[in-house]
Amino acid sequence: MLVAIICKDKPGALQTRKNNRAAHLEHVDASGVVTIAGPFLDDAGEMCGSLVILDVEDMTKAEEWAAKDPYALAGLFESVEIKPWKKVIG
């Protein structure tokens, strides 16, 4: 099942994102369930959120992945949405 995780950073949290980026990328690589991912950018071109598409067994696995993300553990996000997603193109 494909699941989209859509995260919005807290205002002024760019340094928190930068400080935890290496650990976040290790989490992405180690999990083996991320099919595509990347940051959202603000008007200045700075990272301000995340989109992660997971291929997991069920929503529980997606929720567990999101909860263990070093960005989440660092308190980076203002909001997190976890939704089933269907790939149509690409």
Side-chain angles (χ1 to χ4, degrees), residues 26-74:
E26 287 176 22
H27 176 62
V28 167
D29 288 339
S31 70
V33 298
V34 177
T35 63
I36 192 166
F40 291 113
L41 303 176
D42 63 17
D43 292 340
E46 296 289 350
M47 297 176 287
C48 64
S50 299
L51 171 64
V52 181
I53 305 294
L54 304 179
D55 189 352
V56 291
E57 295 172 17
D58 54 40
M59 288 297 286
T60 300
K61 295 291 185 190
E63 292 164 356
E64 289 171 357
W65 187 95
K68 293 177 184 175
D69 183 354
Y71 282 164
L73 295 172

Side-chain angles (χ1 to χ4, degrees), residues 1-2 10 34 43 80 87:
M1 131 180 245
L2 295 176
K10 291 178 181 173
V34 177
D43 292 340
V80 177
K87 180 179 178 181

